[in-house]
């Protein structure tokens, strides 16, 4: 799990030591108080979420080695880098440094998106013994049939768009809450679906090479075809119901 100590907290501690050792005058002390108040109001550090299954439980679709590296190394890296960027943002906001705040946005988007996307992805998967691959039922199944003709039709469309992503990115099944319709979208890098398009994410397919290369090499279509065997449609049903009721 990631440390709960944020870069912002470290910055506050450093600043407090400086105040104590240098005896800053009143104006500087007020600036320090402003910074410390902003840091205190900053979000808590992100931490790596636990998985609901063991690393090897998605085999043979996804190897245990891939899952462990993907979760412990790649997802953790997004969390670590996001926490660092947030600490810098708190400091920049306290200083009123607009240029620095703007410069931090790409790091926040990339790493924050990486955390959001992966947090959904882990829940979108389940071992076959826990329901992975079992087709959806209820309202989501009806919506899929209405728009795509069948679950197979949805899978074909989403697979094609996911495979076609140039470089790294994600294929998404989302729902437009206002239009009450499903949508399939492919996004580059770690762009988060809802923040980018307004669609609520239901199912995501990670097509970064780190998600499959050790097992499938450069044959992305085989990985995308196989992953449907462990998609947790129960999770997607819950997300769909929550989106439609909000």
């Amino acid at each position: 799990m990631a440390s709960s100590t944020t870069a912002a907290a470290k910055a506050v501690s450093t600043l407090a030591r400086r105040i104590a050792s240098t005896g800053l005058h009143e104006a500087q002390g007020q600036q320090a108080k402003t910074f410390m108040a902003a840091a205190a109001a900053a979000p808590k550090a992100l931490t790596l979420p636990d998985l609901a299954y063991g690393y090897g439980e998605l085999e043979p679709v996804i190897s245990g080695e891939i899952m462990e590296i993907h979760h412990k190394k790649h997802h953790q890296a997004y969390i670590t880098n996001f926490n660092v960027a947030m600490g810098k943002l708190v400091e920049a906001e306290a200083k009123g440094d607009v240029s620095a705040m703007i410069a931090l946005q790409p790091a926040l988007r990339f790493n924050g998106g990486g955390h959001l996307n992966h947090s959904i992805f882990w829940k979108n998967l389940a071992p076959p013994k826990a329901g992975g691959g079992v087709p959806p039922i209820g309202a989501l199944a009806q919506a899929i049939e209405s728009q795509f003709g069948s679950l197979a039709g949805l899978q074909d469309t989403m697979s094609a768009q996911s495979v076609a992503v140039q470089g790294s990115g994600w294929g998404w099944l989302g729902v437009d809450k206002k239009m009450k319709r499903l949508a399939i979208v492919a996004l580059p890098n770690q762009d988060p679906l809802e923040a980018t398009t307004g669609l609520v994410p239901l199912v995501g397919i990670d097509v970064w090479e780190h998600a499959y290369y050790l097992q499938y090499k450069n044959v992305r279509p085989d990985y995308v075809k196989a992953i449907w065997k462990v998609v947790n449609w129960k999770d997607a049903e819950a997300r769909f119901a929550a989106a439609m009721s909000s």
Side-chain angles (χ1 to χ4, degrees):
M1 299 288 287
S3 169
S4 61
T5 302
T6 66
K10 291 180 179 179
V12 170
S13 178
T14 300
L15 183 57
R17 289 196 299 270
R18 288 176 181 171
I19 293 171
S21 63
T22 60
L24 295 176
H25 57 69
E26 184 177 350
Q28 290 173 309
Q30 185 58 47
Q31 183 181 22
K33 289 178 182 178
T34 300
F35 172 75
M36 294 169 75
K44 292 182 179 180
L46 300 178
T47 58
L48 186 66
D50 293 329
L51 302 186
Y53 42 82
Y55 290 128
E57 290 189 68
L58 300 183
E59 292 183 347
V61 175
I62 305 176
S63 73
E65 180 184 16
I66 287 177
M67 287 298 297
E68 184 169 8
I69 294 172
H70 198 173
H71 181 245
K72 285 185 176 179
K73 301 297 184 181
H74 291 282
H75 190 173
Q76 180 62 66
Y78 295 123
I79 288 170
T80 299
N81 292 333
F82 180 83
N83 288 338
V84 169
M86 278 300 300
K88 293 180 179 178
L89 180 64
V90 168
E91 184 172 1
E93 288 177 338
K95 294 178 178 178
D97 189 341
V98 176
S99 180
M101 286 185 254
I102 293 172
L104 286 164
Q105 295 310 305
L108 291 168
R109 181 182 182 87
F110 180 77
N111 293 293
H115 171 63
L116 289 174
N117 293 342
H118 285 87
S119 295
I120 295 168
F121 184 61
W122 307 134
K123 292 182 179 180
N124 277 170
L125 304 176
K129 66 181 181 182
V134 176
I137 59 175
L140 177 57
Q142 293 172 7
I144 290 172
E145 184 173 353
S146 173
Q147 289 189 230
F148 299 96
S150 65
L151 178 59
L154 178 146
Q155 290 171 330
D156 289 345
T157 302
M158 187 167 169
S159 293
Q161 291 200 30
S162 300
V163 169
V165 170
Q166 295 184 347
S168 301
W170 292 73
W172 287 101
L173 171 64
V175 61
D176 185 322
K177 293 192 295 184
K178 292 182 178 179
M179 301 299 294
K180 307 294 185 182
R181 288 183 60 82
L182 300 173
I184 293 173
V185 178
L187 292 175
N189 301 314
Q190 293 296 351
D191 287 1
L193 182 67
E194 190 163 9
T196 303
T197 68
L199 298 172
V200 176
L202 303 179
V203 175
I205 299 178
D206 186 350
V207 291
W208 280 66
E209 285 192 342
H210 64 234
Y212 62 88
Y213 194 85
L214 289 177
Q215 184 173 352
Y216 293 90
K217 305 307 179 188
N218 64 335
V219 190
R220 182 186 285 177
D222 286 357
Y223 156 72
V224 172
K225 180 180 179 180
I227 202 169
W228 294 110
K229 297 176 183 177
V230 291
V231 166
N232 182 3
W233 286 106
K234 288 293 183 185
D235 181 65
E237 289 168 11
R239 294 177 187 278
F240 181 74
M244 298 298 280
S245 65
S246 64

